[in-house]
Every structure is written in C-alpha cells, then in structure tokens.
Amino acid sequence: MTELPARRLLLVHAHPDDESINNGATMARYAAEGARVTLVTCTLGERGEVIPPELRHLTGAALGEHRLRELTDAMAALGVGDFRLLGGVGRYGDSGMMGMADNDDPGCFWQAAVDEAATALAEVILEVRPQVVVAYDDNGGYGHPDHIQAHRVALRAVDFAAGAEAGGGWSVPKVYYNRVPRSVAETAFDRLREELPTLPFGKSAAVADVPGVVDDDRITTAIDGTAYAPAKAAAMRAHATQIEVAPGERYFALSNELAQPLFTTEYYELVRGEPVRDSGPGAQNRETDLFAGVEAGNEEVA
C-alpha cells in the first residue's frame, strides 16, 4: 500500500506553459506547503509559435520535444514533481488555433474521442485521489480548441472517476475554473499602460486578451501567491519558446509581443462543491484556500 499526502491538487492544462501562466503561484505555494500537486498536460504544443529567433527552426515533433524539456524545467522551478502527458507523451497532438486546417488532423486533441481521453484522465484521478481539480471553463478560457477539449475531458473524467467500480471510485469534492476578476485585470492594465515605456514590449494587450476574465461576483476564491512570485516568473521564463518575461517580473508577452500583467494572486470560480468563504481582512468574502472545507487526510492506495 502507498500512503498519499493529506492534501492533493490536480490541474488539467492544454499545453506546456498554460500551467505556469494560470496557476504557477498556486502550484508553487501548495507544493511548498506539502500538498501533492499533479499536473496533467493534454498536448505538447507542437503547433505553438516560437519567440526566440534562434529556436524558430523547431516545428512539429521537434518543438514538442523541446517544450517537454521546458515543462520539466518549469516544474522544477515550482517544486512540482508529478507532471504527466495525458495518455502518454505524444498521444494527443496540438490542434492549432480555432478555425485552422490543423483542427481536422485526426491525431489532434480536438478530434479525440472525449470518453477515451477522459478514461485516461480518470485513471490519474483514481491514482492521485485529488480533493481539488482545476480546469478551464466551457470556452477553454478564450476559445482555443485544445482548451475547450481539456474542459470537456476534465469534467467527464471527474464523473468517470466517481462512478468507477474499482476501488470504490473517487468523488472529487471541489472543482474550480481558472478565472481573473474584471476589476483586477482592468487595474493591472491601467498600471501596465503607464509603465509600458519602460518595458521591452511596444504595445499592450487588452483585458479581452486575458483568458478567463469574468465579473468580480463570480470569483469564489483568491490564492495569494505573492511569496511565490519569483518561482512563477522562473517557471514562465523556462517556457522560453512561448513567453518573454520582462525585467522586474511584473509583465510578460507571448509571441504577439503584446504586454500582459503577470498575476501572483490567482483567482478561481468554484463550480462543484461548497465554498467556505473567509470574511477576514482583505478576503472580500472569498475563499483563500482551495482546500477550504475539505476533510484532508492521508489515503492509502494499492
């Protein structure tokens, strides 16, 4: 028998780098606090655009292999040792942006049978037995086909794991979506525009370019990762093909060279489970712990 840590967090992401941008501070915080943090990445991002000129020769499988090395370095920066590719390395290919011919590739994640992919993810859930799963909303945060598919697969896998006969199944107590409150995004972009002349980026992105922005009243949970800001920035910097982090580690840009804020407090919307809100100073009646209300305990698995 193997004893699992008392608190267990599983995150589902579409490509290497998504995890560090969305949840880097959260992952680093919980890993440092002794929780088991498990990342499942659905593709290697083989169709991503490459920023550094010296790496632009990388395409297809070669880019995927490189991005896996970047992911390994990012996880080391966050202190996360358990990270996997859904179904194994290379099982599902990057689907490209919505509306591209790449979406029709039979080997891409967008074309995957949801139940098949969810079965593979459910096996991880049954192994890890997470009390918390973090996923995208039904638009994948911003409409990318792999993100939308990751949402479908994650929620189906949670259902499959709960209904599994082997080992009695596992019901995940809390499922969250990645979010950013609109007021926080707007304030951050106001500051960015003031500081833009000091940054290595010529233009600013817009609030609409940030995945998962919603009205503030939908935010149930805020995780203060300020103490782990250097770890998050280091993880993002490890994804050098996809991300450029500005000096000072408050802003970054993707291949479009548009500056965005780097958030170290990370926000979530609880979509399954009961919120346990914190009314203490600065909490804004939100949860300040993804595990709030969860009866944490060591589990034994065969």
Side-chain angles (χ1 to χ4, degrees):
M1 301 291 286
T2 300
E3 187 174 272
L4 299 174
R7 296 192 300 169
R8 302 173 300 278
L9 166 65
L10 185 145
L11 306 97
V12 182
H13 277 288
H15 316 101
D17 81 339
D18 292 325
E19 80 298 323
S20 296
I21 295 171
N22 286 278
N23 312 112
T26 299
M27 294 171 72
R29 172 179 158 174
Y30 282 115
E33 291 177 356
R36 177 169 181 169
V37 178
T38 299
L39 169 69
V40 177
T41 305
C42 298
T43 82
L44 286 172
E46 303 92 335
R47 292 189 165 105
E49 296 181 356
V50 176
I51 294 174
E54 66 273 17
L55 295 176
R56 288 179 186 163
H57 65 282
L58 294 171
T59 59
L63 177 57
E65 291 173 6
H66 188 89
R67 293 189 69 178
L68 180 55
R69 291 194 292 272
E70 292 181 337
L71 179 62
T72 301
D73 291 342
M75 293 303 96
L78 298 179
V80 173
D82 185 9
F83 57 99
R84 313 151 184 234
L85 273 295
L86 181 63
V89 176
R91 176 63 183 87
Y92 299 109
D94 187 344
S95 307
M97 298 300 288
M98 186 66 83
M100 298 179 65
D102 297 330
N103 302 167
D104 299 324
D105 183 339
C108 78
F109 190 45
W110 183 239
Q111 293 295 330
V114 172
D115 282 2
E116 175 193 272
T119 297
L121 181 57
E123 291 174 359
V124 179
I125 293 173
L126 291 169
E127 173 194 341
V128 174
R129 297 179 178 264
Q131 294 106 336
V132 176
V133 168
V134 172
Y136 306 120
D137 66 13
D138 58 1
N139 189 45
Y142 72 111
H144 191 294
D146 287 332
H147 287 242
I148 295 170
Q149 188 78 320
H151 157 82
R152 295 170 177 168
V153 168
L155 268 63
R156 188 75 59 85
V158 168
D159 291 339
F160 282 179
E165 294 182 6
W170 178 255
S171 295
V172 177
K174 302 180 84 174
V175 177
Y176 291 90
Y177 290 158
N178 295 290
R179 292 299 192 198
V180 178
R182 192 172 305 280
S183 69
V184 169
E186 289 173 347
T187 299
F189 273 98
D190 287 344
R191 185 182 67 236
L192 186 161
R193 284 186 283 271
E194 291 177 0
E195 299 183 15
L196 190 60
T198 69
L199 301 178
F201 314 120
K203 295 182 180 180
S204 170
V207 170
D209 296 317
V210 177
V213 174
V214 293
D215 292 342
D216 290 32
D217 61 5
R218 292 182 59 179
I219 304 298
T220 59
T221 312
I223 302 301
D224 183 358
T226 305
Y228 302 96
K232 175 169 180 169
M236 291 175 64
R237 194 175 285 113
H239 291 290
T241 59
Q242 307 300 305
I243 304 171
E244 181 180 355
V245 178
E249 301 180 343
R250 296 177 66 189
Y251 303 103
F252 72 99
L254 303 174
S255 59
N256 58 14
E257 300 181 352
L258 299 177
Q260 297 188 41
L262 191 159
F263 297 108
T264 55
T265 294
E266 294 168 345
Y267 298 89
Y268 302 89
E269 179 183 3
L270 182 66
V271 294
R272 295 192 183 183
E274 293 297 324
V276 180
R277 300 180 188 273
D278 184 348
S279 58
Q284 296 182 291
N285 197 33
R286 292 172 177 160
E287 293 182 325
T288 54
D289 180 5
L290 294 175
F291 292 91
V294 169
E295 185 177 343
N298 297 91
E299 290 281 335
E300 289 190 348
V301 294

